[in-house]
Amino acid sequence: MAAVTLIPGDGVGPEVIGAAVTVLEAAGVKIAWDRQEAGAAAVRKHGSPVPDSLIRSLKRTRIALKGPLETRVGEGYRSINVYLRKTFNLYASLRPTHSFEGVHTPFRNVDLVVVRENTEDLYAGIEHQVAPGIVESVKVITARASTRIARFAFEYARRNRRKLVTAIHKANIMKLSDGLFLKCARRVAKEYADVRYEEQIVDAACMRLVTNPAAFDVLLLENLYGDIVSDLCAGLVGGLGVVPGANYGERGAIFEAVHGTAADIAGKNVANPVAAILSASMLADYLGSHRAAERIRAAVGTVLREGRTLTPDLGGKASTTGMTAAVIQAMATTLEHPAATA
Ligand code: NAD
């Protein structure tokens, strides 16, 4: 039985992670959970947002299912998400984003995969005050990390029969840093003659994403652009409640939805559990339980398509627990649905 660290997280985290665990169990994925606190929940209990017991657990399991963690705006401790991704070298964030039948948005047939570099860029957290009223934030881009993430994107594209990788950048302004990122992506692209390679400046790419998302397939981005564009892409397919994610390294992975703590709806049993449940299906794949992962995705597809049990963000009146129960019920009655591949 696989050992996995379970981090319920802050805000809606415990609700949606609870849903994901129930669905994994119902799908028959056998996991020995090691439950750990992090973020604001850990500060309250242990006086630190990253308790030693959490790090010990992650060093042992190398795999986690994680809820969102609160990071205060403009004050407080630095992001624990960034800390964990850097500490465990989880350099590649993967966010499959596709339309679901039954989820109404202005777009149909969106099918994108965001590949975001996870360890450097402005998230290096190097900030200082030069003089009162003048601060600097350092953007770190290395050839090593840029080459590694580009290779991840192309390998993913090849393995999943994707046709196009688009590197998204601002190298017209940041000629050195984004210029280096592009140089590395171009060099890697030459090794993959079977996958087309394009480049887009980030502002134009955003406009094109919201007018013609079909022009994209796999998106390759640095850390900050990847963070922003992930949420934009979520907006194309029904919002943050439906987009899963995973952070992969050579020796481990953390699975988590794209969304944050959603403090405005926390504790009300109305958060959409789909993003966390689909992240759990990516965990099932990672553990080799592909059939269970497919069953989970098919059941989510059925619930969304039928539209009877939806949370308020999708226009319904169902609770988190109600929608989770509907997914489990659908798992018992449906096998696989072709549209439901996350
Ligand atoms: P957010 O994703 O928490 O919320 C943005 C909006 O989307 C809110 O209106 C929220 O109600 C809605 N939303 C999010 N998830 C939902 C769900 N499952 N179901 C229904 N609606 C949902 O973003 P934010 O408000 O910018 O950030 C809040 C906190 O979360 C911040 O402290 C931020 O640092 C943190 N955060 C953490 C992570 C992470 O741990 N990976 C990711 C993003 C943000």
Side-chain angles (χ1 to χ4, degrees):
M1 193 186 295
V4 176
T5 303
L6 184 68
I7 307 169
D10 301 321
V12 295
E15 297 163 69
V16 296
I17 291 296
V21 168
T22 318
V23 170
L24 279 172
E25 277 166 10
V29 184
K30 301 270 181 269
I31 294 175
W33 296 108
D34 182 8
R35 193 188 163 96
Q36 297 289 334
E37 314 282 351
V43 172
R44 282 193 296 275
K45 206 161 159 190
H46 306 278
S48 159
V50 217
D52 291 346
S53 58
L54 167 69
I55 299 300
R56 273 200 305 277
S57 174
L58 286 170
K59 280 188 176 155
R60 182 174 67 84
T61 64
R62 316 287 317 182
I63 311 170
L65 178 63
K66 180 186 146 310
L69 303 176
E70 179 187 304
T71 313
R72 295 244 169 101
V73 176
E75 58 170 25
Y77 51 79
R78 299 226 323 248
S79 166
I80 305 309
N81 297 311
V82 174
Y83 176 82
L84 293 176
R85 290 167 197 160
K86 282 175 77 171
T87 303
F88 292 95
N89 213 0
L90 305 174
Y91 66 89
S93 165
L94 186 81
R95 292 162 165 184
T97 308
H98 60 86
S99 303
F100 292 92
E101 217 183 306
V103 177
H104 303 292
T105 77
F107 302 97
R108 303 182 67 180
N109 305 322
V110 175
D111 185 11
L112 304 168
V113 181
V114 174
V115 174
R116 166 187 174 193
E117 204 289 322
N118 241 353
T119 61
E120 55 182 30
D121 191 356
L122 284 160
Y123 288 58
I126 306 168
E127 289 192 307
H128 46 254
Q129 180 172 301
V130 181
I134 305 173
V135 295
E136 285 181 349
S137 256
V138 180
K139 171 162 173 157
V140 179
I141 298 291
T142 65
R144 182 170 168 271
S146 302
T147 303
R148 184 170 67 170
I149 195 67
R151 185 154 285 125
F152 182 95
F154 277 95
E155 279 297 318
Y156 179 89
R158 180 175 274 174
R159 262 202 326 278
N160 294 280
R161 289 190 281 282
R162 297 263 173 180
K163 298 275 171 280
L164 169 68
V165 171
T166 306
I168 294 177
H169 65 93
K170 191 78 185 171
N172 49 332
I173 304 298
M174 278 157 282
K175 294 176 194 291
L176 270 186
S177 53
D178 286 18
L180 176 60
F181 183 79
L182 278 190
K183 256 187 220 152
C184 296
R186 285 175 194 159
R187 208 172 295 137
V188 172
K190 288 206 175 80
E191 298 170 26
Y192 295 82
D194 49 330
V195 181
R196 234 168 68 234
Y197 172 70
E198 285 182 1
E199 294 170 359
Q200 288 256 324
I201 294 177
V202 62
D203 35 353
C206 288
M207 190 278 296
R208 205 158 160 224
L209 274 165
V210 298
T211 50
N212 183 19
F216 296 89
D217 187 348
V218 176
L219 280 63
L220 168 62
L221 306 107
E222 293 169 4
N223 207 340
L224 177 63
Y225 308 144
D227 194 0
I228 297 166
V229 169
S230 293
D231 278 33
L232 184 154
C233 290
L236 301 175
V237 299
L240 289 166
V242 294
V243 181
N247 306 288
Y248 296 108
E250 301 301 342
R251 293 189 52 231
I254 294 183
F255 297 85
E256 61 179 338
V258 174
H259 68 74
T261 58
D264 50 334
I265 55 168
K268 296 182 179 159
N269 195 21
V270 293
N272 189 337
V274 163
I277 291 171
L278 292 178
S279 304
S281 80
M282 294 171 81
L283 164 63
D285 271 327
Y286 190 76
L287 297 176
S289 300
H290 301 298
R291 200 169 147 63
E294 277 305 324
R295 280 184 69 214
I296 294 170
R297 291 192 279 263
V300 166
T302 301
V303 170
L304 295 174
R305 193 172 61 251
E306 290 177 352
R308 285 195 298 266
T309 323
L310 303 179
T311 43
D313 59 308
L314 297 179
K317 292 195 170 126
S319 61
T320 309
T321 41
M323 197 168 177
T324 307
V327 170
I328 291 170
Q329 174 71 31
M331 249 187 335
T333 51
T334 52
L335 273 174
E336 276 163 32
H337 182 265
T341 47

